[in-house]
Amino acid sequence: MERSIDAQLDELKRQILVMGGHVEKALHEVILALFKKEDFRFQAVHKMEDQINEDQVRVDNFCIQLLAKQSPVAKDLRMILSIIKINTDLERMGDQATNIAFTAQDYLKRKPVPQAQVLVKMSEVVRHMVKESLDSFVRGDVVLARKILLMDDEVDATKNQVFKDLAEHMKKNSDDIEASLDVILMARNLERLGDHATNIAEDVIYAVTGQDIRHGGIYER
Amino acid sequence: MERSIDAQLDELKRQILVMGGHVEKALHEVILALFKKEDFRFQAVHKMEDQINEDQVRVDNFCIQLLAKQSPVAKDLRMILSIIKINTDLERMGDQATNIAFTAQDYLKRKPVPQAQVLVKMSEVVRHMVKESLDSFVRGDVVLARKILLMDDEVDATKNQVFKDLAEHMKKNSDDIEASLDVILMARNLERLGDHATNIAEDVIYAVTGQDIRHGGIYER
């Protein structure tokens, strides 16, 4: 008996949620590794990254089969296209968590800088964004999706402040330059993670309303 | 008379090439703005960015119509999915060029650092990558696509060297810290542009061969 397209879309959504859980876990582990100085957690991040990559291939193949066999139109088609994009964003979030892990491994060899503490707060906001963006996706909740765009502004503002603080710190503490650069890079990676969650929120708004809000004219470096 | 799917795919490819040309131009203009100190060129970058955003929406809508009306399968379906992904990458390349423009505007207010010169070389390699990745796409040239992966290694290596050089420079020249950070950020943006060209090359290999080489286990921060 052939399953209906609704059941298959539900299965796809479930797979996206599982994948999002892997992204959240990767991010959680890398921050714990960094602040508890627990090296073994880096292995967990890399394992999660492998898992996320497998997830991505599975979701992509599922979407291709669905498109080929069901020839969906209108809202179903928009939903599948959104899933293809969300899938790419989640995979790149996994890459960003891995990038943080590589920088964190260098950072742990150096004398820490006090400004690094802000990464904990940033990572909590970003994890929240990941979770909420996927909740908004599964529930088709446009109001929640719009909230994520505001949370991203908070992440960007924090990152800009960290950059300024660290530039000042480096001027007075030339021995801390490498450690400060590591923190700048990790803050940048967290900001990118937030951007990907924002992309997901925008895809949700598009999938639900058919409204394209991607190019509102606001850019952040 | 209904056009065949081949003619429509050719039209899509043409649109992608035009969009790629806009990305190349944005990148060219921002580097000229930076090194010739010609402020008016920043306007050209922002105009190009608006154009790229319009391109993206047009290509996405074209893909949706094609999927809905022609119900493509097998190779045609893989081609359309690749175009959807390439479209996203090109749009994000436009964002990166814009990010460079914002940082460059700050940088031009500061005393320049000699290491900035390397951005010219990096940007030339990246522009070459953009062009070649789209050539490989249009011609379905897997050999060329694989060459782009090697060029990306060169960009990553250059970026790592710039980071090291600037860390050393900042230690000895605390007045140059802001300008050095600007160069680091712009080098990072160029590296991200190279990553997007690499994504396109990987999509080409997938579209042509059906082979998924995205997760070869090599990560770069």
Side-chain angles (χ1 to χ4, degrees), chain A residues 33-157:
Chain A
L34 189 56
F35 288 96
K36 294 193 158 190
K37 300 181 189 192
E38 292 175 341
D39 251 15
F40 70 92
R41 292 193 188 270
F42 289 121
Q43 287 311 311
V45 179
H46 296 306
K47 234 181 216 169
M48 244 347 99
E49 162 73 358
D50 290 341
Q51 185 60 60
I52 292 163
N53 290 344
E54 281 176 31
D55 295 341
Q56 187 199 18
V57 173
R58 190 184 314 113
V59 168
D60 255 2
N61 288 338
F62 201 134
C63 288
I64 288 174
Q65 285 188 14
L66 205 50
L67 287 169
K69 290 184 184 161
Q70 304 264 5
S71 304
V73 293
K75 208 174 169 215
D76 290 339
L77 180 56
R78 281 212 309 274
M79 175 57 78
I80 294 170
L81 290 187
S82 295
I83 288 171
I84 289 170
K85 290 180 182 185
I86 290 171
N87 192 30
T88 305
D89 277 308
L90 287 173
E91 189 270 334
R92 300 213 176 139
M93 289 166 127
D95 287 347
Q96 294 292 336
T98 306
N99 291 341
I100 296 173
F102 283 125
T103 307
Q105 278 172 301
D106 288 344
Y107 178 78
L108 287 184
K109 292 174 200 145
R110 315 189 200 277
K111 182 166 77 69
V113 291
Q115 290 82 356
Q117 206 53 38
V118 81
L119 297 176
V120 178
K121 184 195 150 203
M122 266 184 96
S123 74
E124 277 164 11
V125 178
V126 168
R127 267 177 63 210
H128 194 55
M129 287 174 74
V130 177
K131 200 186 162 305
E132 299 276 76
S133 67
L134 293 177
D135 280 355
S136 76
F137 162 68
V138 169
R139 303 206 302 256
D141 185 340
V142 174
V143 176
L144 182 56
R146 289 192 192 277
K147 274 190 197 151
I148 288 151
L149 309 188
L150 297 177
M151 291 165 79
D152 196 46
D153 293 342
E154 186 187 336
V155 171
D156 290 342

Side-chain angles (χ1 to χ4, degrees), chain A residues 46 49-50 52-54 56-57 60-61 63-65 67-69 71-74 77-78 81 84-85 87-89 91-92 95-96 98-100 102-104 106 110 163 166-168 170-172 174-175 177-178 181-182 184-185 188-189 192 196 199 203 206 212 214-215 219-221, chain B residues 46 49-50 52-54 56-57 60-61 63-65 67-69 71-74 77-78 81 84-85 87-89 91-92 95-96 98-100 102-104 106 110 163 166-168 170-172 174-175 177-178 181-182 184-185 188-189 192 196 199 203 206 212 214-215 219-221:
Chain A
H46 296 306
E49 162 73 358
D50 290 341
I52 292 163
N53 290 344
E54 281 176 31
Q56 187 199 18
V57 173
D60 255 2
N61 288 338
C63 288
I64 288 174
Q65 285 188 14
L67 287 169
K69 290 184 184 161
S71 304
V73 293
L77 180 56
R78 281 212 309 274
L81 290 187
I84 289 170
K85 290 180 182 185
N87 192 30
T88 305
D89 277 308
E91 189 270 334
R92 300 213 176 139
D95 287 347
Q96 294 292 336
T98 306
N99 291 341
I100 296 173
F102 283 125
T103 307
D106 288 344
R110 315 189 200 277
F163 274 34
L166 282 167
E168 284 309 309
M170 285 191 275
K171 278 184 197 169
K172 289 169 204 146
S174 67
D175 288 348
I177 281 182
E178 274 94 354
L181 282 178
D182 287 339
I184 284 176
L185 286 180
R188 188 89 168 84
N189 290 136
R192 295 284 310 155
H196 286 298
N199 292 338
D203 283 330
Y206 172 71
D212 201 326
R214 288 176 298 193
H215 304 304
Y219 302 102
E220 274 293 328
R221 73 161 179 235
Chain B
H46 297 306
E49 163 72 0
D50 289 343
I52 292 164
N53 291 343
E54 281 176 30
Q56 187 200 19
V57 173
D60 255 1
N61 288 340
C63 288
I64 289 174
Q65 286 189 13
L67 286 169
K69 290 185 184 160
S71 303
V73 293
L77 180 55
R78 281 212 309 275
L81 290 188
I84 289 170
K85 290 180 183 186
N87 192 31
T88 306
D89 278 307
E91 189 272 330
R92 300 215 176 137
D95 288 347
Q96 293 294 337
T98 306
N99 291 342
I100 296 173
F102 283 125
T103 307
D106 288 344
R110 313 187 201 281
F163 275 34
L166 283 167
E168 283 309 309
M170 285 190 274
K171 277 183 198 171
K172 290 169 202 145
S174 67
D175 287 348
I177 281 180
E178 275 93 355
L181 282 178
D182 287 340
I184 284 175
L185 287 180
R188 189 91 168 80
N189 290 137
R192 294 285 310 155
H196 286 298
N199 292 338
D203 284 331
Y206 172 71
D212 201 327
R214 288 175 299 193
H215 304 306
Y219 303 103
E220 275 294 327
R221 70 160 177 237

Side-chain angles (χ1 to χ4, degrees), chain B residues 11-26:
Chain B
E11 169 58 22
L12 260 177
K13 284 182 192 173
R14 194 195 62 78
Q15 287 189 18
I16 287 285
L17 278 188
V18 170
M19 190 174 174
H22 294 150
V23 170
E24 279 184 69
K25 183 159 168 64

Side-chain angles (χ1 to χ4, degrees), chain B residues 135-167:
Chain B
D135 280 354
S136 77
F137 162 68
V138 170
R139 302 205 303 256
D141 186 339
V142 174
V143 176
L144 183 57
R146 288 192 193 279
K147 274 189 198 152
I148 289 152
L149 310 188
L150 297 177
M151 291 164 80
D152 196 45
D153 294 342
E154 185 187 336
V155 172
D156 290 342
T158 307
K159 181 217 68 177
N160 288 337
Q161 191 58 47
V162 177
F163 275 34
K164 266 187 207 157
D165 292 349
L166 283 167

Side-chain angles (χ1 to χ4, degrees), chain B residues 13-51:
Chain B
K13 284 182 192 173
R14 194 195 62 78
Q15 287 189 18
I16 287 285
L17 278 188
V18 170
M19 190 174 174
H22 294 150
V23 170
E24 279 184 69
K25 183 159 168 64
L27 189 50
H28 190 54
E29 289 287 340
V30 76
I31 295 295
L32 285 179
L34 190 56
F35 288 97
K36 294 193 157 188
K37 300 181 186 190
E38 291 175 343
D39 250 16
F40 70 91
R41 294 194 187 269
F42 289 122
Q43 288 310 312
V45 179
H46 297 306
K47 233 181 216 171
M48 246 344 99
E49 163 72 0
D50 289 343
Q51 185 59 60

Side-chain angles (χ1 to χ4, degrees), chain B residues 188-212:
Chain B
R188 189 91 168 80
N189 290 137
L190 285 172
E191 184 221 1
R192 294 285 310 155
L193 273 153
D195 287 345
H196 286 298
T198 303
N199 292 338
I200 291 175
E202 289 172 348
D203 284 331
V204 170
I205 294 169
Y206 172 71
V208 173
T209 67
Q211 184 193 357
D212 201 327

